[in-house]
Amino acid sequence: MRKVSESTVKRLSRYYRVLRLLEKEGYVTVSSKELAKIEKLTPAQVRKDLSLFGSFGTRGLGYKVLELKEKIASILGLDKTWKVALIGVGNVGSALVSYKEFAKQGFLIKLLFDNDQRKIGKNHKGIIIKDVKDLVKELKESKIEMVIIAVPADQAQKVVDQVVKAGIRTILNFAPANIKVPDQVFLRTVNMAMELEHLSFALINQI
Amino acid sequence: MRKVSESTVKRLSRYYRVLRLLEKEGYVTVSSKELAKIEKLTPAQVRKDLSLFGSFGTRGLGYKVLELKEKIASILGLDKTWKVALIGVGNVGSALVSYKEFAKQGFLIKLLFDNDQRKIGKNHKGIIIKDVKDLVKELKESKIEMVIIAVPADQAQKVVDQVVKAGIRTILNFAPANIKVPDQVFLRTVNMAMELEHLSFALINQI
DNA sequence: AATTGTGAAATTGTTCACAGCA
DNA sequence: TGCTGTGAACAATTTCACAATT
């Protein structure tokens, strides 16, 4: 496969959402022009992105909504389910457990961990919270493929180190911390404060 | 000011975090080389980013940690406080109210709204939850500068329309929905499912 | 006639390399 | 000497423009 940029992957996610919507509204075909309009992009951008993975359209006609949706799902790995463990059942962690969008896209939270004795052993939305002490052992025994980190910032690196030790290669981090992982591990960090900083920058600089 | 790219703003946020840390650890100066090493960038990148806003360093010496931190804070608008309203006190909304990092950076959540009669009038972490029906009126009366949307996806557009109507120009959206706003309004959407999609793409394609 | 897929051109973003300064 | 600030070179990404196809 040719080089796929970070931004292309993001746009694929966006196309996927639009296609789900269009499908629900009964659209059968869609052109790059229409997709571009909805996402505020150029038609050429849409076609370039898609052409990186194959020729999904029909000249003169456009793309079949259902077919393109499924192609993108397969590219993004949304045509299978992923087993996810979540570490840190605090405010953010609890919100994520209840976040419907994850399950809808095949990300199933199967294990919960915390270090709070009052939480360990309790049933949270149908899952027994385990002790983070047993993290490595439990992750190794399970078939978990992804881990979500929702622990306080000062504990995040330590927890991530253990997750990596357990052989997990994909981590989504919500702790506002500068986490280091080996090269072969994919780590993405969502920092909500940074998003607000972006807005305050925009507001100040009156873009 | 010259054109400041999206990625430059993101990197400024990252530098800011590093500088806070370095300051706490007692560092007085830092070079572009050191900053670059920590953030896995090139020294030239760091210097280019900073030079967009002025000459903050000293040749032969580097940057003064405290001074650079304050310069970046001022660029990002973190040297003042912002009054924020949060709409939707569900799982995600509650987590955001408790998110310490916001207050630390001067983003103060001053108003809460919900449409659930059982929540309206209740005190949540020191703030009385108001009826979303009064959104426009309340926002106009208040000195709110930013709004965070944490309502279900199917209500998000309607709520955003009202927020815009109330004259708010910066919105951070956590609803997994394709929101449209007029050109002069800054909207950022955090879609947590998209982040996982990025990871599953990476895992499938064994980058 | 409409729209894709794609090389080529234009634009944007990053790195190099070095003059200039502490 | 060491490190910044920056124009020039390079690389990546986006847009253009058009042949190919239905």
Side-chain angles (χ1 to χ4, degrees):
Chain A
M1 196 194 303
R2 278 134 294 176
K3 177 64 190 355
V4 178
S5 72
E6 179 102 357
S7 28
T8 298
V9 179
K10 266 192 198 150
R11 284 193 301 266
L12 286 177
S13 280
R14 291 165 62 189
Y15 303 150
Y16 179 72
R17 276 167 182 71
V18 173
L19 290 165
R20 276 202 311 191
L21 216 67
L22 290 176
E23 190 194 10
K24 206 158 63 173
E25 289 173 4
Y27 287 85
V28 177
T29 58
V30 65
S31 68
S32 60
K33 198 175 159 187
E34 293 165 319
L35 263 178
K37 179 128 186 261
I38 298 172
E39 288 294 320
K40 292 205 187 162
L41 300 166
T42 62
Q45 176 86 82
V46 174
R47 297 199 298 276
K48 254 282 144 78
D49 285 340
L50 298 175
S51 77
L52 286 173
F53 302 94
S55 296
F56 305 141
T58 312
R59 288 162 199 240
L61 234 127
Y63 302 87
K64 288 191 184 151
V65 171
L66 181 66
E67 191 184 307
L68 185 58
K69 192 200 80 171
E70 282 174 359
K71 288 282 187 195
I72 295 181
S74 143
I75 292 164
L76 292 176
L78 307 178
D79 54 351
K80 55 158 288 182
T81 59
W82 297 93
K83 293 186 190 66
V84 180
L86 188 148
I87 310 177
V89 194
N91 291 304
V92 174
S94 299
L96 294 172
V97 174
S98 306
Y99 189 62
K100 302 281 195 305
E101 203 67 9
F102 283 160
K104 234 190 241 176
Q105 243 125 185
F107 300 106
L108 308 178
I109 296 178
K110 293 287 193 183
L111 286 181
L112 295 178
F113 293 91
D114 207 293
N115 68 352
D116 184 339
Q117 292 304 320
R118 288 164 299 181
K119 290 179 186 166
I120 293 165
K122 289 263 162 59
N123 182 318
H124 184 94
K125 307 252 171 187
I127 307 172
I128 305 293
I129 300 176
K130 297 186 190 249
D131 193 330
V132 78
K133 275 207 192 82
D134 306 323
L135 187 57
V136 177
K137 194 181 114 244
E138 293 279 355
L139 286 180
K140 279 188 174 168
E141 281 171 11
S142 69
K143 291 264 166 38
I144 296 293
E145 292 148 309
M146 296 182 178
V147 165
I148 299 177
I149 306 285
V151 302
D154 57 355
Q155 297 167 39
Q157 182 68 61
K158 200 185 65 195
V159 170
V160 167
D161 288 346
Q162 289 177 278
V163 170
V164 170
K165 203 167 138 193
I168 302 291
R169 295 191 51 219
T170 49
I171 302 171
L172 183 56
N173 169 45
F174 284 87
N178 223 327
I179 311 286
K180 298 273 179 272
V181 290
D183 281 346
Q184 73 275 19
V185 176
F186 318 125
L187 169 80
R188 290 186 71 81
T189 292
V190 177
N191 188 318
M192 298 174 286
M194 276 195 193
E195 302 295 332
L196 277 183
E197 287 170 20
H198 219 298
L199 286 178
S200 74
F201 174 84
L203 201 48
I204 281 184
N205 296 278
Q206 298 291 340
I207 292 165
Chain B
M1 195 193 303
R2 279 133 295 176
K3 176 64 188 356
V4 179
S5 72
E6 179 103 354
S7 27
T8 297
V9 180
K10 267 193 197 148
R11 284 193 300 266
L12 287 177
S13 280
R14 291 164 62 187
Y15 302 149
Y16 180 70
R17 277 168 181 70
V18 173
L19 290 164
R20 277 202 311 192
L21 215 67
L22 290 176
E23 190 194 11
K24 207 159 60 175
E25 289 173 3
Y27 286 86
V28 176
T29 59
V30 65
S31 67
S32 59
K33 197 175 160 187
E34 292 165 320
L35 263 177
K37 177 131 187 258
I38 297 172
E39 288 294 319
K40 290 204 187 164
L41 299 166
T42 63
Q45 175 87 82
V46 173
R47 297 200 298 276
K48 253 284 145 77
D49 285 339
L50 298 175
S51 76
L52 286 173
F53 302 94
S55 296
F56 306 141
T58 311
R59 291 164 197 237
L61 233 127
Y63 302 87
K64 288 192 184 152
V65 171
L66 181 66
E67 192 183 307
L68 185 57
K69 193 200 78 172
E70 282 173 0
K71 287 282 187 197
I72 295 181
S74 144
I75 292 165
L76 293 175
L78 307 178
D79 54 351
K80 55 158 285 181
T81 59
W82 297 93
K83 293 186 191 63
V84 180
L86 188 149
I87 310 176
V89 193
N91 291 303
V92 173
S94 300
L96 293 172
V97 174
S98 306
Y99 190 63
K100 302 282 196 304
E101 203 67 9
F102 283 160
K104 235 189 241 176
Q105 244 124 182
F107 300 106
L108 307 179
I109 296 179
K110 292 288 193 182
L111 287 181
L112 296 178
F113 293 93
D114 206 294
N115 68 353
D116 184 339
Q117 291 304 321
R118 287 165 299 180
K119 290 178 186 167
I120 294 166
K122 289 261 163 60
N123 182 318
H124 184 94
K125 308 252 170 188
I127 307 172
I128 305 293
I129 300 177
K130 297 187 190 247
D131 194 330
V132 79
K133 274 205 192 83
D134 306 323
L135 188 57
V136 177
K137 194 181 113 244
E138 293 279 355
L139 285 181
K140 279 188 175 167
E141 282 171 11
S142 69
K143 291 264 165 40
I144 297 292
E145 293 147 311
M146 296 183 178
V147 165
I148 300 178
I149 306 285
V151 304
D154 57 355
Q155 297 167 38
Q157 182 68 61
K158 198 186 64 195
V159 170
V160 167
D161 288 346
Q162 290 177 277
V163 170
V164 171
K165 202 166 138 194
I168 302 292
R169 293 190 52 219
T170 47
I171 303 171
L172 183 57
N173 169 46
F174 284 89
N178 223 327
I179 310 286
K180 297 275 178 267
V181 290
D183 280 347
Q184 73 275 20
V185 176
F186 317 126
L187 169 80
R188 290 186 70 83
T189 292
V190 176
N191 188 317
M192 298 175 284
M194 277 195 194
E195 301 295 331
L196 277 183
E197 287 170 21
H198 218 299
L199 287 179
S200 74
F201 174 83
L203 203 47
I204 281 185
N205 296 277
Q206 298 290 340
I207 293 164

